[in-house]
Amino acid sequence: MSSTTYPATLFLRQLETIVGPENVVTEEFELECAAVDVWWITRYLAEHDPSALPRADAIVFPASTQEVSEVVALCSRHGVPITARGGGANDSGGCTPVRGGILLDTKRMNRILEFNDKSFTVRVQPGILQVDLEEWLNARGATANHFPASINCSTVGGFVSTNGTGVLSSKYGKMTDMVHQLEVVLGNGTVFRGLPVNRHSSGPDLSKVFIGAEGTLGVVTEVLLKVHPVPESRIFRSYLLPELEGGLDAGRQVMIAGLNPAIMRFYDRHDTEHILHKQFGLKDSGCFLMVGFDGPKAVAQAQMNAAHEIVVAAGAKDLGDDYAQRWWSDRLKSYYPPLDYICEPWMTAVTDTVASYENIGPLYAAMKSAVEDGFAEYGAVFHAHFSHWYDWGNSFYPSFLVKDVPEDQTEAIDLYNRMIEACAQASMTHSGALNEHHGTGMRFGRMLPHAYGESSFEVLRSIKSALDPLDLMNPGKLGL
Amino acid sequence: MSDPTTPNGDSPIMNDPAELAQTVAMCRHCFMCRHANPTFRVTRLDSHTPRGYALMLSRLQGGQTTLTVETAQRFFESTVDGLCSELCAYHWREDDVVRAGRREAWVGGLAPARVNEIAETLVNDAGVAVRQFVPQAPEANGKQVLLWNGVRTLTSRPQAGQALVDLLSAVEADFGCVQTEYDLGTTLFDLGRPSEEVRSAALSAAAVISETGAEVIVTPCSDSFRALTSLWPSWGIQLRNNPIVQHTSTFLLPHVTEGRLVPSEGRPVWNRVAIHDSCGTARAGDVVDDPRAVLAALGVEAAEWSHNGRVAECCGGGGCLNEYQPELATRMAAARCDEIPPGCDVVITTGALCASVLATADPVPLVLDFAEFVAALVGPKSSTDTVTLPMSKEDR
């Protein structure tokens, strides 16, 4: 146990009196399972050097805000680091317990506390898996409209902590848009509760301080989320464009025309081949674009018609609705092995970013060059699609891939870090964000001070210092 | 009578190290099916998921670690019901990964003591006297229809067998039961026992069944249905007369739709039932429509559970988990019962064992095997005559 002052067995006994003995787990294999997430580094270490995997000393499963508060207070008294963990399927190492201590696993806190069918909000505990929440809402004619690829794997608390985004974010926003109120247990065990709505002029929205904080400022214990009625209609259409630039501009025009698509996705040639050809049998070459609208039937159709005109005028070949509809129905399929790279012993990472429209094209080109030219000796491959479009810019979702991973462990990890840094540098040089929706975790966290600049980043350091003076909450993350 | 073809008694990937290695490689870093895993849903432990099992097996087989008592225990805390494989977009056989892990535990002498007892009993004395549990069962030899209760059904839910006897008698079927039933190899198979033990058990049972000369086998037991329709064919076991194998519902359907079985006056009336689809019948055997068709023909509204049909969650009895981990199985039963659709008076199951496992949930709904429910509804005298209506979900 990473406490300097308190015998480990006594500490564990104290934890057991708070949450129950069956909810404090110290079994070796369980700790190892929890140490391996989707981040390439933990997967690589699991294969090559499991003893080097950072592990917690115990996993604790509280069931309530009160239990979280008591656990955190106990850890605070004894200097034990706390890493909050929801689904644990992060691809950035966000839940990697770099200084040991406890993993505070929220999956027992999975209750739905209140559903308001007048205002369409739902209050939940943080450990509910998004798939379970969505199913519950659907049975009541509602939906969260939050459909990330990790919907099966990840929890509401995790999405809040990383400011996650789903495929319908163009219309329904990110977590920061969906969250109305948070309850958070702070580093000393006290409980913070935000204001009940997220649009107001009552000082800074303090709930937002914790959105995207990746557990470094406190443990989210309750979330009030905006939800929606299940739309009457959700329609799709897809196209093929000859080249990237035309498609990017077509998408921009759709967004700034105020057509409000629920979803728009645009794949570069390589990604079109990787996903669309393999998964859907698309034969044609080009850059695949799909748009989708939802809501009242007549409104969605009118929006689609207007978008169709814009896209076709940009030189797109109309593929009809079949591919796009199938993409929607089978969208999770590409995250299962063998289509998902994580089953292979290759080096891979997603380096999603977001930038304004005038920057996104040059950013793409810069990142592509940084990978393929900068790491040509390793045969590095880069492909991307553009998703999460806004009326000021969009994100793109690049993956880099190296199949011939260096045999030497130090060299392999160094190569990975250099590639991550090269992608991050391309983002920052072109006014992009370090990450769009996975969180920075261990992958990008160290670069956050550079992204902000030291004097600006000092704001976050000050907040951290005030809320977690002992630096026990998910230490080593966010560049803190 | 020709000898049954000697089966292999193993799942295919147990015989193919490359395929097992590939399945392990596919599963060990994937979280996509975790949410549905019945054990994970109650324990929230990653070690109780396909990813966890594959990760451990990859480390064991890669020589990076050795099996401990604790991790061996984990491999036996799964119902190996195949749900995760069913939900997987590419149907990777994660349940076979668990069996492979169990095999490692046996080899290492680390199988839990209670599991060892069960396996030893099945190997040494696998027979169960039918008449002891279903006293009114007629003899099977020379009859057209064999009513195969299933060993686990006989010992845990004999009233299902008795109800089926009553129903078959009511339609004047030419049927009977054997004197002694044997495990069909499914339990030993699911526990990851050596293939020669599985084969031996299956052959013993096959000989008994073949001796009857039956042309049709009807069973209320989902394990037996799975063995006879799915596992035995894959193991190359053939039976004399190549009998048709039917679940209770499939056999009853024409009798109900053609008016030979109708609801009796004065019998307990159930307004709305929830159907729990058993893993062995629905997922392994694709028996989903027939139970619903029977109920509809009997005028019973059947409510659908939120994960049902081929993606039904295990009751907790899969792989005989309820026998060696009753507390865990009860938690799984309770989790399943927590999601009973509102307004249902009764839960009926398409596997007799499921009825006995779900009945351990607290509070306890009225749970009946499919045969029991139909028998109570259409009126043949049976042990279910004294059934009382349950609390409604709102009262629970």
Side-chain angles (χ1 to χ4, degrees):
Chain A
M1 184 65 64
S2 309
S3 162
T4 58
T5 62
Y6 204 57
T9 50
L10 286 175
F11 184 83
L12 291 173
R13 191 71 55 80
Q14 290 264 58
L15 285 174
E16 289 174 0
T17 61
I18 298 170
V19 299
E22 66 279 10
N23 295 311
V24 179
V25 177
T26 56
E27 196 224 346
E28 182 63 26
F29 181 57
E30 201 61 48
L31 299 177
E32 185 179 321
C33 261
V36 184
D37 55 9
V38 179
W39 183 36
W40 181 79
I41 296 284
T42 57
R43 289 187 285 118
Y44 177 83
L45 289 176
E47 299 295 314
H48 297 274
D49 189 5
S51 65
L53 269 171
R55 291 171 209 227
D57 299 288
I59 308 172
V60 180
F61 292 85
S64 66
T65 302
Q66 181 61 33
E67 287 185 6
V68 172
S69 172
E70 290 180 31
V71 167
V72 170
L74 177 71
C75 290
S76 174
R77 282 199 296 278
H78 300 292
V80 175
I82 304 163
T83 304
R85 180 177 190 255
N90 190 273
D91 74 346
S92 300
C95 299
T96 301
V98 294
R99 285 184 9 212
I102 68 162
L103 275 179
L104 199 153
D105 195 307
T106 60
K107 286 196 276 302
R108 277 183 74 215
M109 297 177 68
N110 62 351
R111 289 187 300 131
I112 297 167
L113 303 172
E114 179 196 341
F115 174 55
N116 182 329
D117 62 1
K118 191 159 187 175
S119 304
F120 272 85
T121 58
V122 68
R123 188 180 298 277
V124 300
Q125 289 186 313
I128 186 166
L129 291 169
Q130 187 69 24
V131 63
D132 292 337
L133 173 60
E134 184 64 22
E135 198 175 282
W136 190 93
L137 289 170
N138 290 171
R140 289 151 183 81
T143 170
N145 277 328
H146 181 64
F147 297 107
S150 54
I151 186 171
N152 290 353
C153 321
S154 300
T155 64
V156 168
F159 293 130
V160 170
S161 296
T162 53
N163 198 8
T165 304
V167 298
L168 302 186
S169 69
S170 294
K171 182 171 179 179
Y172 296 104
K174 295 168 66 63
M175 268 293 137
T176 195
D177 303 298
M178 297 177 176
V179 171
H180 274 235
Q181 182 185 48
L182 286 183
E183 178 190 85
V184 181
V185 170
L186 304 176
N188 59 2
T190 58
V191 180
F192 161 86
R193 185 171 272 261
L195 294 179
V197 294
N198 69 359
R199 303 282 173 98
H200 57 75
S201 182
S202 309
D205 187 349
L206 295 181
S207 283
K208 284 190 161 52
V209 170
F210 301 97
I211 300 176
E214 301 184 32
T216 59
L217 304 178
V219 179
V220 173
T221 50
E222 204 174 284
V223 184
L224 179 65
L225 275 175
K226 179 77 186 88
V227 296
H228 308 268
V230 172
E232 181 191 5
S233 157
R234 186 170 277 148
I235 55 176
F236 304 91
R237 201 159 191 97
S238 59
Y239 307 86
L240 213 53
L241 284 111
E243 33 72 37
L244 199 73
E245 201 178 312
L248 282 176
D249 196 60
R252 183 188 67 85
Q253 289 184 51
V254 168
M255 294 308 299
I256 64 173
L259 295 177
N260 204 24
I263 182 171
M264 191 153 59
R265 298 177 74 87
F266 182 52
Y267 294 73
D268 70 7
R269 280 182 177 272
H270 200 136
D271 226 24
T272 297
E273 195 179 298
H274 171 64
I275 295 177
L276 280 309
H277 286 186
K278 276 190 193 157
Q279 193 174 334
F280 299 108
L282 179 68
K283 296 278 189 288
D284 304 40
S285 296
C287 302
F288 182 84
L289 170 74
M290 62 174 275
V291 285
F293 294 89
D294 65 16
K297 207 167 169 183
V299 173
Q301 190 60 60
Q303 290 169 326
M304 177 65 86
N305 293 343
H308 177 81
E309 282 190 26
I310 292 173
V311 174
V312 165
K317 173 182 171 186
D318 183 7
L319 297 176
D321 63 359
D322 181 53
Y323 287 113
Q325 185 64 59
R326 282 198 285 142
W327 180 91
W328 175 253
S329 304
D330 294 343
R331 65 192 178 278
L332 296 184
K333 214 168 169 182
S334 59
Y335 299 100
Y336 286 87
L339 284 193
D340 195 330
Y341 287 152
I342 63 168
C343 61
E344 304 287 356
W346 304 331
M347 181 186 298
T348 181
V350 170
T351 54
D352 48 301
T353 181
V354 57
S356 55
Y357 282 120
E358 70 271 19
N359 289 308
I360 201 72
L363 198 166
Y364 169 90
M367 199 182 283
K368 184 174 168 69
S369 172
V371 168
E372 292 185 335
D373 299 330
F375 298 91
E377 67 185 284
Y378 298 100
V381 169
F382 175 96
H383 53 89
H385 57 264
F386 297 78
S387 49
H388 314 295
W389 297 65
Y390 307 108
D391 59 7
W392 48 265
N394 65 331
S395 83
F396 80 98
Y397 192 104
S399 302
F400 72 69
L401 173 66
V402 171
K403 289 189 178 179
D404 288 323
V405 180
E407 281 194 20
D408 179 73
Q409 181 178 319
T410 305
E411 189 185 340
I413 292 176
D414 177 66
L415 172 62
Y416 175 85
N417 286 330
R418 286 191 292 123
M419 293 187 78
I420 289 288
E421 282 157 17
C423 292
Q425 190 56 47
S427 285
M428 290 188 285
T429 303
H430 291 85
S431 302
L434 269 182
N435 192 258
E436 202 272 340
H437 61 257
H438 290 105
T440 60
M442 298 291 293
R443 258 191 323 161
F444 293 111
R446 62 189 179 282
M447 293 171 252
L448 210 51
H450 179 60
Y452 272 103
E454 279 298 326
S455 60
S456 298
F457 190 73
E458 197 56 35
V459 172
L460 184 57
R461 286 201 185 98
S462 302
I463 295 171
K464 173 72 169 178
S465 176
L467 297 182
D468 182 28
L470 300 178
D471 191 22
L472 296 176
M473 308 297 282
N474 205 4
K477 309 292 166 49
L478 286 193
L480 292 166
Chain B
M1 180 184 81
S2 58
D3 285 337
T5 306
T6 304
N8 172 271
D10 263 338
S11 56
I13 71 172
M14 305 275 258
N15 287 326
D16 187 342
E19 193 177 337
L20 178 62
Q22 188 189 33
T23 304
V24 166
M26 294 297 110
C27 292
R28 76 195 189 289
H29 294 308
C30 182
F31 288 78
M32 294 297 283
C33 67
R34 178 181 60 173
H35 64 290
N37 184 282
T39 313
F40 170 80
R41 286 180 74 83
V42 297
T43 68
R44 302 291 160 181
L45 295 177
D46 274 85
S47 59
H48 282 146
T49 68
R51 181 187 80 101
Y53 292 129
L55 195 61
M56 172 48 72
L57 196 61
S58 76
R59 298 199 61 224
L60 285 171
Q61 294 185 334
Q64 294 169 325
T65 192
T66 52
L67 201 60
T68 63
V69 168
E70 286 171 320
T71 47
Q73 175 78 27
R74 286 282 192 264
F75 276 109
F76 286 94
E77 289 169 347
S78 164
T79 47
V80 285
D81 58 83
L83 175 59
C84 297
S85 179
E86 179 70 27
L87 284 173
C88 176
Y90 297 95
H91 305 300
W92 293 104
R93 292 300 306 268
E94 49 77 30
D95 47 334
D96 286 337
V97 171
V98 175
R99 292 188 190 93
R102 293 177 176 185
R103 185 70 61 83
E104 297 269 343
W106 290 114
V107 168
L110 292 173
R114 178 67 187 125
V115 177
N116 207 21
E117 281 173 26
I118 292 170
E120 300 257 309
T121 303
L122 287 173
V123 170
N124 297 328
D125 181 18
V128 175
V130 172
R131 283 287 180 83
Q132 180 185 347
F133 295 97
V134 185
Q136 280 146 36
E139 291 297 324
N141 281 8
K143 301 287 173 59
Q144 185 198 26
V145 179
L146 170 65
L147 193 174
W148 186 267
N149 294 271
V151 158
R152 295 181 70 199
T153 297
L154 281 171
T155 52
S156 63
R157 194 77 187 186
Q159 52 267 54
Q162 189 57 62
L164 195 45
V165 165
D166 294 343
L167 289 166
L168 293 172
S169 299
V171 300
E172 298 176 349
D174 179 31
F175 81 100
C177 298
V178 297
Q179 290 196 6
T180 304
E181 289 195 11
Y182 294 86
D183 185 82
L184 303 186
T186 26
T187 304
L188 291 169
F189 170 71
D190 281 339
L191 292 179
R193 290 294 298 174
S195 60
E196 49 273 16
E197 284 182 9
V198 176
R199 180 170 64 236
S200 177
L203 283 174
S204 297
V208 167
I209 292 173
S210 284
E211 195 175 343
T212 68
E215 295 167 10
V216 178
I217 303 174
V218 184
T219 181
C221 173
S222 66
D223 265 359
S224 300
F225 188 81
R226 172 179 156 231
L228 294 166
T229 61
S230 177
L231 292 177
W232 281 18
S234 72
W235 295 343
I237 295 186
Q238 293 173 347
L239 294 168
R240 183 173 142 210
N241 288 348
N242 204 22
I244 297 165
V245 180
Q246 294 183 324
H247 176 254
T248 305
S249 59
T250 305
F251 183 88
L252 294 179
L253 182 58
H255 296 288
V256 170
T257 56
E258 291 165 19
R260 288 183 289 281
L261 290 173
V262 295
S264 296
E265 289 183 16
R267 307 305 292 181
V269 174
W270 289 279
N271 292 317
R272 198 166 188 239
V273 303
I275 300 183
H276 165 80
D277 287 305
S278 171
C279 311
T281 47
R283 187 149 47 252
D286 231 354
V287 174
V288 177
D289 294 339
D290 287 350
R292 288 151 177 83
V294 168
L295 293 176
L298 291 171
V300 177
E301 181 194 349
E304 288 297 338
W305 231 293
S306 58
H307 306 126
N308 230 4
R310 290 188 65 93
V311 295
E313 286 163 15
C314 184
C315 62
C320 80
L321 183 77
N322 62 303
E323 292 183 30
Y324 61 85
Q325 284 266 356
E327 188 190 301
L328 179 58
T330 295
R331 288 171 67 191
M332 292 166 68
R336 183 74 175 143
C337 288
D338 264 349
E339 294 174 357
I340 294 174
C344 292
D345 302 288
V346 176
V347 168
I348 67 170
T349 68
T350 62
L353 175 71
C354 303
S356 67
V357 177
L358 289 178
T360 64
D362 179 27
V364 181
L366 178 63
V367 188
L368 298 176
D369 170 68
F370 194 86
E372 295 172 57
F373 178 83
V374 175
L377 200 57
V378 303
K381 294 288 183 189
S382 78
S383 59
T384 56
D385 268 3
T386 57
V387 166
T388 54
L389 284 172
M391 295 180 287
S392 66
K393 187 168 190 252
E394 287 68 34
D395 293 337
R396 287 199 285 133

